[in-house]
Amino acid sequence: MYRVLAINPGSTSTKFAVYFGDECVLRKTIRHPLEQLLRFKSVVDQFDLRKGLIIEVLQEEGIEVDSIKYIIGRGGLTYPLESGVYRVNNRMIEHLREGVLGHHASNLGPMLADYIALQIPGAKAFMADPVVTDELEDVARFAGHPKFQRRSIFHALNQKATARIHAQKVGKSYESLNLIIAHLGGGISVGAHKNGRVIDVNNALDGEGSFSPERSGTLPVGQLIDICFSGKYSKEQIRRMVVGEGGFVAYLGTNDAQKVEKRADHGDTEAAIVQEALFYQVAKMIGEMAVVLEGKIDGILLTGGLAFNPELEKYIRTKCGFIAEIYSYPGEDELEALAMNGLRVARGEIEVKEYKK
């Protein structure tokens, strides 16, 4: 029986799971208090803390670590890659440490997988569908000025996993479908999936598309320039306005979408209009991707934590129901998605790719 350890580092948590075949035998979420993380200058500096905690929990739970031969981590900000499963190599680790496209908790995923695999005879480390998965058509890369280029940074792992789940549900292959998939979480990404490739998607990390619980999304450029040169804010403060302290955090003082939903349900008019504005912007993004796919769409899929909100689904159905049938897959299970990719490798169902950037 193939045994897989899946690792998903988040900004304030480390999630991991052990699968024996298709069965999940252990699933853990370690929360990292903010005061603990503030001791570190960078995300990469948290490596020793996180790997020590993973190993400690595995031992406490009686997991026979040496029996695990496939360790797969959530992919981070390497150079852009096609979708797929990649073997972790030294060059990848080097680029994640350097932060060639930025520093993010997901950079630790392949690093942690690699370290643990090196402790186990015969074990191998992988990453799957990293956030920099890039399948954009050339025309989608133009930003409007040669000094700028649109980048593909999005929730590739969950979007691809949701697409495959849906394809199985409808009895077709992912590669035969045209889908619009909206990942609705702390960040929001809406992708146009054409025959198994995401040919256009917003950069969900640093400033495209709808605002989200903690990100500002697309901002009016002229106003942003004025703020940047006003002398009132540092570069870091402005960056936090865009990622971390935007969206619900800026408007309502919380990144908890469930709290916002409850406030709106209980008559808080400010919460209600801000929530509706988020819904509105997501609907517009879905419309944009409908144009990308020339109206030939087999389904609109809603996923991520915000998809649990029945008002959001209702709103999207009202605004976008004329485009295609809407399907809801609320929540995300990136650990299961990682584990299933690991099992596909173990069973020889997919070809492992090499990172050569």
Side-chain angles (χ1 to χ4, degrees):
M1 180 185 296
Y2 298 114
R3 300 188 176 193
V4 176
L5 169 62
I7 304 171
N8 182 10
S11 57
T12 59
S13 68
T14 301
K15 300 177 182 179
F16 58 97
V18 176
Y19 278 73
F20 289 1
D22 293 321
E23 181 187 2
C24 180
V25 298
L26 175 68
R27 179 184 289 258
K28 286 288 182 178
T29 298
I30 300 174
R31 303 290 179 187
H32 305 294
L34 185 59
E35 58 270 20
Q36 183 185 59
L37 298 181
L38 288 175
R39 303 200 317 256
F40 302 97
K41 291 182 178 180
S42 70
V43 168
V44 170
D45 292 336
Q46 300 169 16
F47 173 79
D48 285 337
L49 168 71
R50 297 198 191 218
K51 60 99 167 167
L53 290 170
I54 292 172
I55 293 171
E56 182 181 315
V57 171
L58 290 173
Q59 292 173 342
E60 288 176 352
E61 295 291 336
I63 298 295
E64 193 177 327
V65 178
D66 283 355
S67 69
I68 301 172
K69 302 303 181 184
Y70 298 87
I71 297 94
I72 186 163
R74 182 186 177 195
L77 298 172
T78 61
Y79 285 113
L81 298 167
E82 281 196 341
S83 173
V85 177
Y86 289 79
R87 194 184 318 278
V88 178
N89 59 27
N90 290 336
R91 190 164 182 79
M92 181 190 297
I93 297 295
E94 178 185 339
H95 288 170
L96 291 168
R97 285 189 178 279
E98 290 176 7
V100 290
L101 281 186
H103 294 281
H104 187 268
S106 60
N107 287 16
L108 292 168
M111 294 169 60
L112 292 165
D114 182 61
Y115 175 85
I116 295 173
L118 289 173
Q119 314 308 308
I120 303 171
K124 298 176 182 178
F126 307 92
M127 77 170 182
D129 290 334
V131 294
V132 291
T133 293
D134 185 350
E135 300 168 331
L136 298 186
E137 292 190 335
D138 288 343
V139 70
R141 301 184 188 280
F142 284 80
H145 190 284
K147 290 189 181 296
F148 301 87
Q149 185 181 63
R150 293 188 65 239
R151 291 177 176 174
S152 176
I153 302 179
F154 71 111
H155 306 88
L157 182 63
N158 190 47
Q159 284 209 23
K160 292 276 186 175
T162 301
R164 292 188 183 99
I165 290 169
H166 176 75
Q168 187 175 27
K169 176 182 176 180
V170 298
K172 296 185 178 180
S173 70
Y174 168 44
E175 291 74 18
S176 71
L177 296 172
N178 285 355
L179 302 168
I180 298 172
I181 304 182
H183 175 102
L184 309 167
I188 288 176
S189 61
V190 180
H193 295 238
K194 182 178 182 180
N195 302 132
R197 295 177 65 84
V198 184
I199 62 171
D200 201 351
V201 67
N202 63 299
N203 179 340
L205 179 64
D206 62 2
E208 269 192 341
S210 170
F211 71 84
S212 77
E214 54 189 35
R215 299 174 191 173
S216 294
T218 301
L219 293 170
V221 176
Q223 294 175 44
L224 181 59
I225 291 170
D226 289 342
I227 281 182
C228 288
F229 288 91
S230 67
K232 297 179 180 178
Y233 306 97
S234 68
K235 179 180 178 180
E236 184 56 35
Q237 286 175 316
I238 294 171
R239 187 171 294 280
R240 288 202 303 269
M241 286 183 193
V242 175
V243 181
E245 297 177 4
F248 283 174
V249 174
Y251 285 115
L252 302 170
T254 180
N255 65 354
D256 190 328
Q258 289 185 325
K259 288 183 179 178
V260 173
E261 180 185 350
K262 288 178 181 177
R263 284 170 60 175
D265 289 345
H266 287 84
D268 184 328
T269 55
E270 182 181 14
I273 189 63
V274 171
Q275 178 177 256
E276 183 180 356
L278 185 152
F279 297 171
Y280 176 78
Q281 291 191 6
V282 170
K284 285 205 302 181
M285 292 173 71
I286 291 171
E288 290 176 10
M289 295 307 165
V291 172
V292 170
L293 294 172
E294 301 174 355
K296 300 169 185 175
I297 301 147
D298 297 300
I300 298 168
L301 280 51
L302 308 180
T303 184
L306 273 67
F308 283 110
N309 186 338
E311 291 302 313
L312 183 147
E313 183 179 346
K314 180 180 176 181
Y315 190 95
I316 298 300
R317 288 188 184 280
T318 299
K319 290 286 188 182
C320 305
F322 72 96
I323 297 173
E325 188 169 353
I326 294 165
Y327 302 85
S328 185
Y329 296 91
E332 55 81 21
D333 196 338
E334 292 180 326
L335 283 175
E336 182 175 5
L338 286 169
M340 292 306 106
N341 275 295
L343 287 169
R344 290 167 71 203
V345 170
R347 293 165 179 161
E349 296 173 358
I350 56 173
E351 183 179 346
V352 176
K353 299 181 179 182
E354 294 294 331
Y355 182 77
K356 298 179 181 179
K357 297 290 182 176

